[in-house]
Amino acid sequence: MTPSYANRRDIRQLGINPHCWYVVSSSQEVTSSPVGVILWNQPIVLFRDTQGKINALEDRCPHRQVKLSHGKAIGDEIECTYHGWRFNGGGDCVYVPYLQENQKPPKCGIKTYPVRELYGFIWIFIGEEKPDNEPLEIPEWEHLNYIATVATIHTQAHYSFLVENLMDMYHGHLHQNWQAWTEAQLDYITETDNKVDAYYEAQSYYKIDKIWSISQLFFRSLRQLHPERLTVSYIYPHWYSTLGEDFKIYCLLCPISVSETRAYLIHFTSLNAFWRLHKLPIKFRKFIKNRLFGCAKKMLDGLVAEDVKMIEEEQRAYQNHPQRRGYELNKAIASVQRVMKKQAIAN
């Protein structure tokens, strides 16, 4: 998993730190049928057992090397669609339909991966050692004062392009129809071996301070510019941002290969300003939270589509002329590049 010497010199060829938790799927995407995913060139199959627990195995039947994700879940096992061989959650072959009475299933176990289901997502750990850290915390997911919207990012580009896009708040110029902020000015940066915090001063289009304020997500005419602190943070390998007191966004990354990245963007709208709402029964507040889930979907999808177009153009430009380097003025980009290199090379 450690990049070669040549890769260490080129951020666009950089590998990943395998000793981290990555998000490979939303919980909703894994139901009764197995789902195949890829995390940094490693095909993985996810399936639920009879208790609803997620299992993560190498997506390969050791018999003929076909994908187990083509098969189906039977009880607590996954069955290969080719010959009907079955494997348990521990990766052991437990059944072959045409074994004779004196035969036992072959000892041809396949690799398993530590897996967690948290905050509506499936997290995978592909490091060789047992994980000694936890997935990124997302306390707003269950908090009754935050309304969530989820969008998927799937781009044919190296993950570094996406991380740089997320850290660069000067590109609000791109999002003329969807932007939540404008006039960003970088104030200062803090940096450690695994984290970068960039603090911007900006003008926000949204203010969630009255009961009708959430309608600003739908009607542009109701928006009014006002100053807000805009903070973006890269906690390797994921990202989050806050815009004033009203909005928080997470981006959970799944690098697929050197030229493909998948990620989940979670946008939270805060209801903290509505103190009367906090006094209502818990059941009703849960109803409101669930009923408003996805309320910012149109805006989020619009932002993602515009960003992906630019990111993929950057990737193509790099592939056509890898020796060219851009003229970067945002110091936050240099900071996240240093962190990505430290994490990938050191591990």
Side-chain angles (χ1 to χ4, degrees):
M1 294 297 296
T2 303
S4 66
Y5 176 75
N7 290 349
R8 297 182 187 191
R9 298 170 57 89
D10 191 343
I11 193 76
R12 312 307 177 194
Q13 296 291 318
L14 202 64
I16 67 171
N17 179 350
H19 304 292
C20 296
W21 291 92
Y22 294 85
V23 167
V24 296
S25 171
S26 70
S27 293
Q28 293 180 337
E29 291 174 294
V30 187
T31 55
S32 58
S33 299
V35 173
V37 297
I38 299 176
L39 174 54
W40 201 247
N41 304 307
Q42 297 190 38
I44 299 169
V45 60
L46 308 173
F47 75 96
R48 293 186 185 274
D49 61 21
T50 55
Q51 303 302 312
K53 178 186 174 183
I54 292 286
N55 296 277
L57 285 69
E58 182 181 2
D59 194 2
R60 176 187 66 87
C61 177
H63 177 213
R64 294 292 181 86
Q65 313 304 315
V66 300
K67 290 184 178 181
L68 285 173
S69 55
H70 294 324
K72 59 184 178 181
I74 298 180
D76 295 336
E77 301 160 2
I78 184 170
E79 180 184 78
C80 179
T81 194
Y82 199 178
H83 291 84
W85 289 32
R86 295 184 193 174
F87 300 84
N88 63 21
D92 302 314
C93 180
V94 294
Y95 175 74
V96 177
Y98 48 86
L99 282 182
Q100 298 181 10
E101 291 185 3
N102 61 342
Q103 288 183 306
K104 295 181 179 180
K107 294 182 179 181
C108 54
I110 50 178
K111 188 173 182 179
T112 63
Y113 299 89
V115 58
R116 301 279 296 276
E117 185 169 12
L118 286 172
Y119 316 121
F121 295 92
I122 311 301
W123 305 69
I124 296 289
F125 186 93
I126 61 173
E128 294 298 328
E129 300 175 1
K130 189 175 180 180
D132 58 359
N133 52 24
E134 293 294 324
L136 179 69
E137 291 188 8
I138 309 177
E140 297 83 1
W141 186 262
E142 297 291 343
H143 200 294
L144 295 179
N145 289 352
Y146 290 89
I147 307 302
T149 297
V150 177
T152 303
I153 302 173
H154 199 148
T155 180
Q156 302 300 315
H158 187 265
Y159 70 88
S160 62
F161 286 116
L162 175 56
V163 172
E164 292 172 18
N165 168 274
L166 292 166
M167 293 297 295
D168 180 16
M169 293 296 101
Y170 292 137
H171 82 276
H173 182 269
L174 170 67
H175 304 304
Q176 295 297 314
N177 294 321
W178 307 110
Q179 67 188 97
W181 78 96
T182 188
E183 300 178 22
Q185 294 293 328
L186 182 61
D187 189 4
Y188 66 97
I189 299 169
T190 61
E191 178 185 338
T192 66
D193 286 344
N194 72 329
K195 184 180 181 182
V196 175
D197 294 308
Y199 299 89
Y200 293 83
E201 296 294 340
Q203 294 287 320
S204 173
Y205 281 95
Y206 302 95
K207 187 72 172 178
I208 309 299
D209 58 351
K210 296 179 177 63
I211 195 65
W212 53 265
S213 299
I214 200 166
S215 60
Q216 295 173 45
L217 298 173
F218 310 101
F219 303 105
R220 296 184 66 193
S221 61
L222 298 177
R223 305 170 194 170
Q224 293 184 346
L225 284 174
H226 62 281
E228 291 282 16
R229 169 72 88 175
L230 176 59
T231 304
V232 289
S233 300
Y234 182 50
I235 304 179
Y236 190 96
H238 307 296
W239 173 93
Y240 72 87
S241 171
T242 60
L243 178 59
E245 300 294 329
D246 298 328
F247 301 101
K248 192 161 188 176
I249 305 179
Y250 292 81
C251 190
L252 310 176
L253 275 79
C254 175
I256 294 174
S257 70
V258 74
S259 59
E260 185 176 5
T261 304
R262 184 178 176 88
Y264 291 89
L265 203 62
I266 317 171
H267 178 282
F268 290 103
T269 301
S270 169
L271 301 180
N272 285 319
F274 308 140
W275 59 270
R276 288 186 177 88
L277 182 65
H278 307 165
K279 296 183 177 181
L280 295 175
I282 297 296
K283 184 177 293 187
F284 180 76
R285 293 175 65 191
K286 287 183 178 179
F287 170 79
I288 294 294
K289 180 179 176 72
N290 294 334
R291 190 73 177 85
L292 292 177
F293 182 88
C295 63
K297 183 69 171 171
K298 186 176 181 181
M299 180 190 72
L300 215 58
D301 285 345
L303 289 168
V304 167
E306 291 175 343
D307 281 335
V308 165
K309 182 178 180 180
M310 293 296 100
I311 290 168
E312 292 185 344
E313 193 163 321
E314 287 185 278
Q315 176 72 32
R316 288 192 295 272
Y318 164 76
Q319 291 173 333
N320 291 334
H321 302 283
Q323 75 283 359
R324 289 182 180 173
R325 293 293 179 266
Y327 292 88
E328 184 56 63
L329 301 179
N330 190 341
K331 295 180 180 179
I333 306 305
S335 288
V336 295
Q337 286 187 352
R338 283 193 293 269
V339 168
M340 285 187 279
K341 287 182 177 181
K342 287 178 182 178
Q343 290 293 318
I345 294 171
N347 295 277

